[in-house]
Amino acid sequence: MCGIVGYVGSKDVVTMLLNGLQKLEYRGYDSAGVAIVANGCLEVHKTKGRLSGLCSLMDGCKAPGAVGIGHTRWATHGEPSFENSHPHTNCAGDIAVVHNGIIENYMKLKKWLQDEGAVFVSETDTEVVAHLINHFYTDDLLSAVQAAVTHLEGSYALGVVSEKHPDMIVAARKDSPLVVGVGNSENMIASDIPAILEYTRDVIFLEDKEIAVLDCRSVRIFDEYGKPVNRDSYHVDWDAAQAEKGGYEHFMIKEIFEEPRVMADTFMSRYKEGMIDLSDIGIDEKLVRSIRKVGVIACGTAFHACMVGKYIIERLARIPVEAEIASEFRYRNPLIEPGQLVIIVSQSGETADTLAAMREAKKRGAKIAAIVNVVGSTISREADAVLYTHAGPEIAVASTKAYNTQLMAVYMIALELGRLSGNLPIEDYIRYVEGLKNIPQLMNTVLQTKDQLARIASRHFSQNSVFFIGRGLDYVLSMEASLKLKEISYIHSEAYAAGELKHGTIALIEDGTLVVATAMQRRLFDKTVSNIKEVKARGAKVLAVCFEGSDMPAEIADEVITLPDTDDIFAPLLAVTPMQLFAYYMTVEKGFDVDKPRNLAKSVTVE
Ligand code: AGP
């Protein structure tokens, strides 16, 4: 996520902006910049890379009593570069904008504005906003921003300054957070509380579609219809560390609760009038006609997204899929057919084994489509095409929201391959696309299981071993559930195909063994229930995960997590989050470092 700050008051605005941005560095970024209105002039200073570079650039700059906005960019549209860094301005350079979010209709607006004569200098969606405000500007900045945002689709938190209004900041938000810091003869905006905590603890949380006008004496808020809104400020009693986590105890739980938003952002970045648009990554009819199999390659959690991908691509497109662990693929003299599609999945885009596997596949003639979270990462630059997830920076080492967005991307690819192959009837395609679009909303209900998971964890955190079982998609989901528990709670666990237990592993089940059984594939429900009875008969404690309304027999499940109803095919998207919460609370009960588990790195850039 990008970081936004703004200041209006009597202090030196350069110091205020740079200090504020430093408090947001934890969010992760690839460039930074500020816009200052001082002595009747608007100046923009920005740099690719670290904030320290911007501080050096601004060394000695002072602007007491000026107004300004600042930004740290997490690239979503356009690689990290000077031109793509924020703030962005109109052609005259007298209006500057910083933005956090995704303007989904920016291409259409950009073309219209270019036809109107606007000259763009960046690849970003944000620059559209600066030209749009300029388009509507006559003599009042608030009116121009109010008019501009009515044309924006997607998510935004905006800070706007203008040379013609040297004493004010206009701020607007929709879906991306933005807070106003209320000071004494000074006021601030920020995308997150840490940036302003040093100067004030009185904040106003802007609501969706509200617009705020700040000067050094007042904060005025207007709703989407321009009607003034009276809003009391809220006194924050967090310390700085708590503020970075948005009041959550750990980054991991904060990131789990970001899943509805980031899953929606990832989906909506490709959703166009009821269809999924992957044409720019070369997944089209010509490709689908030419391939006989698909490879999906990754490491760790990302590999589990590949496993889900294998099952759903084969189910929807009837194209054989080979899911490979990158560190195995790269050394086994793999069989790749020239022109074959290989999907590489990587949050960081820097994992050494995954990068090597991609190069090996490419060398053998594969066409590489990468699912990556970090714009401008090595894998994103070397792949033939990239489908970016929009998880934002993931601070906790154990992947949660990034994995969920990888799944969204995998489902979108599977649906397109199904449609293009002709094996998925268009009416099913449309139904599934709408179902996928609705998943982020269902995730808000899924997250309500957190207290139940916390209670379950309080009873089972001393387990030495946990089994995760399921059939079909419930089995591949179990792989990620098992890894999540292992990597942060250090409790041994295994993911097992439920139908495979009787071929050996059931020997390990004894009195009190915890078995987490996912039964969300309705056509396999009875068989999974039979497997649960098998382990129950040997003394297991069973935590069952199923759709609401499933007739899970009460006598076999010690605890049932019920999830909102949807098509079976989407089970991995819903069920992984309770598993993440389970792992999280088991770890909290054990008192281990949830965000930085032992022996692990966020990105394994060495073999
Ligand atoms: C994340 O929970 C895991 N710790 C880890 O397996 C990770 O998924 C794997 O290292 C791949 O990372 P990447 O997605 O950045 O390539």
Side-chain angles (χ1 to χ4, degrees), residues 191-266:
S191 39
D192 210 350
I193 284 172
I196 55 180
L197 212 51
E198 183 181 338
Y199 307 106
T200 178
R201 287 184 171 273
D202 296 319
V203 300
I204 296 172
F205 295 97
L206 279 191
E207 301 288 341
D208 261 9
K209 297 190 179 180
E210 287 184 342
I211 295 178
V213 180
L214 289 70
D215 60 31
C216 60
R217 290 172 304 285
S218 70
V219 176
R220 293 175 291 145
I221 299 174
F222 303 88
D223 68 14
E224 61 183 303
Y225 307 106
K227 188 164 159 293
V229 172
N230 285 322
R231 177 76 46 74
D232 293 335
S233 61
Y234 168 82
H235 188 78
V236 175
D237 55 8
W238 297 334
D239 62 29
Q242 285 171 313
E244 280 189 1
K245 303 180 186 93
Y248 289 97
E249 191 177 351
H250 302 100
F251 280 111
M252 184 174 171
I253 191 72
K254 177 187 177 196
E255 287 158 1
I256 289 172
F257 274 79
E258 288 174 359
E259 286 173 356
R261 168 82 266 131
V262 298
M263 291 167 80
D265 284 349
T266 301

Side-chain angles (χ1 to χ4, degrees), residues 392-404:
E394 189 173 61
I395 312 296
V397 167
S399 185
T400 53
K401 63 172 183 172
Y403 173 73
N404 290 48

Side-chain angles (χ1 to χ4, degrees), residues 97 114 233 477:
V97 175
Q114 284 172 321
S233 61
L477 150 79

Side-chain angles (χ1 to χ4, degrees), residues 299-302 346-348 351 397-399 406 483-484 487 604:
C299 298
T301 289
S346 177
Q347 187 284 130
S348 62
T351 301
V397 167
S399 185
Q406 288 169 351
L483 175 60
K484 212 45 65 202
E487 66 178 333
V604 184

Side-chain angles (χ1 to χ4, degrees), residues 173-354:
R173 73 145 290 181
K174 175 177 171 290
D175 295 337
S176 289
L178 197 60
V179 296
V180 175
V182 182
N184 181 9
S185 302
E186 62 184 15
N187 292 302
M188 300 183 74
I189 60 168
S191 39
D192 210 350
I193 284 172
I196 55 180
L197 212 51
E198 183 181 338
Y199 307 106
T200 178
R201 287 184 171 273
D202 296 319
V203 300
I204 296 172
F205 295 97
L206 279 191
E207 301 288 341
D208 261 9
K209 297 190 179 180
E210 287 184 342
I211 295 178
V213 180
L214 289 70
D215 60 31
C216 60
R217 290 172 304 285
S218 70
V219 176
R220 293 175 291 145
I221 299 174
F222 303 88
D223 68 14
E224 61 183 303
Y225 307 106
K227 188 164 159 293
V229 172
N230 285 322
R231 177 76 46 74
D232 293 335
S233 61
Y234 168 82
H235 188 78
V236 175
D237 55 8
W238 297 334
D239 62 29
Q242 285 171 313
E244 280 189 1
K245 303 180 186 93
Y248 289 97
E249 191 177 351
H250 302 100
F251 280 111
M252 184 174 171
I253 191 72
K254 177 187 177 196
E255 287 158 1
I256 289 172
F257 274 79
E258 288 174 359
E259 286 173 356
R261 168 82 266 131
V262 298
M263 291 167 80
D265 284 349
T266 301
F267 178 84
M268 293 308 289
S269 70
R270 293 288 172 166
Y271 179 71
K272 307 270 184 297
E273 285 129 28
M275 307 282 282
I276 290 165
D277 178 11
L278 301 182
S279 53
D280 66 311
I281 64 172
I283 293 187
D284 52 26
E285 276 194 60
K286 179 169 172 284
L287 172 87
V288 173
R289 273 202 304 273
S290 68
I291 57 174
R292 295 190 305 162
K293 66 177 179 177
V294 174
V296 283
I297 306 174
C299 298
T301 289
F303 171 69
H304 298 147
C306 293
M307 285 303 295
V308 174
K310 169 183 170 58
Y311 276 60
I312 53 171
I313 292 171
E314 290 186 345
R315 188 194 291 191
L316 298 180
R318 310 307 296 157
I319 299 173
V321 178
E322 289 174 349
E324 305 254 16
I325 289 172
S327 56
E328 289 295 304
F329 176 85
R330 64 182 293 196
Y331 292 116
R332 66 179 191 80
N333 191 13
L335 299 170
I336 293 286
E337 295 175 355
Q340 175 189 330
L341 174 63
V342 168
I343 300 168
I344 297 289
V345 185
S346 177
Q347 187 284 130
S348 62
E350 302 297 347
T351 301
D353 283 322
T354 309

Side-chain angles (χ1 to χ4, degrees), residues 58 87 467:
M58 305 290 294
F467 283 79

